[in-house]
Amino acid sequence: MNRDDEKQLPRIAVLVSDSFGTPFEDLKTGIHRELWQNLESYGVSIYFSIGNKPNKIQVILSEYSTILRYTKWLWVLQRVVDRLTLCRYNYNLPTVKKENLNLVTDIPEGTRYMGAKTLAGFKFLYDSGYDIIYRTTLSTVVISQNFISTIENINNEKPYYGGSVVSLPGLNFVSGANLFLNRKALEIIFSNIRKWKHSDLDDVALGKMFKNIVSITPLKSVNISTLDEAKNLKRIDLDNAVHIRCKSSSKVRNDAEIMQYVRDHFLI
């Protein structure tokens, strides 16, 4: 089918979570220059979400927050400190400035501040008139045809919350690496923003907000952590998959090499 003959798509924005340092800067300036060309030909807008370069104190705070989050007993301290020090963003989101393809958020970059950065990016794109936001990471390869098919099947008369399902005790949520939201889902977020828990990772916080309110639409994802896994991948493994996550598990990450192999052998 010729793209000119396809039905009119809603306005779609991809929000890629960006950061400083290795491997993020190499991924963005390397493979991401060509990775989104196919979706852009459908009229999809691509944005990279990044905060301010953190100072030494902010880096230390973020590192300690992450350490405490996964410590058996001290996670309670992490939750209390982060909730108290970040709760101001339940009332006033940081400002976002568009610089070419970048959405620069006035908040320190880092996992600790991810929730506020993500919410601010969502609000900017909502106010810009986008109907659907796809949130993902720099280690993502999207299968364009399946992405567009997913968009075409979304019922925008009701909230849509779709993507890769992650299960924790008492909670199912959608991974922030492969997340679709429509305007009605975003409206629920903004109307309940004071309930957002900044002590949680952003995708967990969203799952808690939507629990018993918005149902999840599961979407197939494929995870690849080594180049050997990519080389053993078969086309049938990607049937109906929207998203391939190529986050390297090696000490020296080679996400770009894995992503390039997947793109060259399966997407062209």
Side-chain angles (χ1 to χ4, degrees):
M1 180 184 292
N2 188 302
R3 291 178 188 178
D4 293 336
D5 297 330
E6 294 174 358
K7 66 180 181 180
Q8 183 68 36
L9 291 172
R11 289 192 70 205
I12 309 158
V14 171
L15 185 65
V16 184
S17 184
D18 195 0
S19 192
F20 297 100
T22 302
F24 311 110
E25 293 175 3
D26 294 336
L27 287 170
K28 183 179 176 182
T29 58
I31 187 160
H32 275 271
R33 289 182 173 178
E34 58 189 39
L35 199 60
W36 299 102
Q37 291 175 354
N38 204 20
L39 278 185
E40 287 177 322
S41 69
Y42 283 96
V44 177
S45 300
I46 313 298
Y47 298 101
F48 294 87
S49 172
I50 193 163
N52 300 320
K53 197 152 193 174
N55 58 39
K56 289 183 179 179
I57 292 175
Q58 291 163 342
V59 169
I60 291 169
L61 283 173
S62 240
E63 289 176 348
Y64 271 101
S65 177
T66 300
I67 291 168
L68 293 176
R69 187 188 306 278
Y70 300 108
T71 302
K72 187 172 183 181
W73 301 112
L74 294 179
W75 63 270
V76 176
L77 177 61
Q78 174 267 322
R79 295 186 68 79
V80 170
V81 171
D82 283 358
R83 189 173 296 188
L84 289 175
T85 56
L86 299 174
C87 65
R88 63 186 181 276
Y89 297 118
N90 293 95
Y91 299 88
N92 291 293
L93 288 175
T95 57
V96 176
K97 182 168 62 173
K98 183 176 177 293
E99 296 180 359
N100 298 317
L101 298 181
N102 297 317
L103 297 186
V104 181
T105 307
D106 189 18
I107 194 170
E109 184 58 43
T111 303
R112 183 171 186 258
Y113 310 97
M114 183 70 77
K117 184 182 81 166
T118 299
L119 289 171
F122 286 170
K123 189 65 166 62
F124 181 90
L125 294 174
Y126 177 89
D127 290 344
S128 298
Y130 287 99
D131 302 301
I132 294 172
I133 296 173
Y134 177 68
R135 191 287 178 102
T136 190
T137 67
L138 285 165
S139 298
T140 286
V141 175
V142 165
I143 302 176
S144 301
Q145 183 176 353
N146 295 343
F147 181 98
I148 296 299
S149 295
T150 298
I151 297 293
E152 290 175 335
N153 286 316
I154 292 176
N155 177 3
N156 285 309
E157 297 301 315
K158 61 181 183 179
Y160 185 88
Y161 175 47
S164 307
V165 180
V166 181
S167 295
L168 295 177
L171 179 70
N172 291 328
F173 63 95
V174 174
S175 166
N178 181 36
L179 168 66
F180 287 89
L181 297 166
N182 66 358
R183 287 185 73 83
K184 289 200 175 288
L186 291 165
E187 287 163 4
I188 292 173
I189 296 172
F190 302 140
S191 63
N192 290 278
I193 202 163
R194 294 189 179 183
K195 299 177 183 178
W196 185 275
K197 293 181 173 59
H198 290 279
S199 52
D200 288 321
L201 296 174
D202 58 331
D203 49 9
V204 175
L206 182 57
K208 288 181 177 180
M209 180 180 284
F210 280 167
K211 185 178 181 181
N212 301 322
I213 299 175
V214 184
S215 60
I216 294 174
T217 300
L219 298 172
K220 182 178 176 180
S221 177
V222 175
N223 291 307
I224 302 170
S225 58
T226 68
L227 186 58
D228 284 341
E229 287 181 9
K231 290 179 178 179
N232 289 326
L233 194 66
K234 295 178 174 57
R235 193 166 295 278
I236 194 171
D237 297 328
L238 302 179
D239 283 354
N240 302 316
V242 173
H243 163 265
I244 308 168
R245 191 167 195 195
C246 304
K247 185 177 180 181
S248 169
S249 60
S250 62
K251 190 170 184 180
V252 178
R253 287 177 59 174
N254 63 330
D255 301 36
E257 187 178 13
I258 298 170
M259 293 168 74
Q260 190 68 57
Y261 183 91
V262 168
R263 182 183 184 276
D264 290 348
H265 289 79
F266 297 100
L267 304 186
I268 296 179

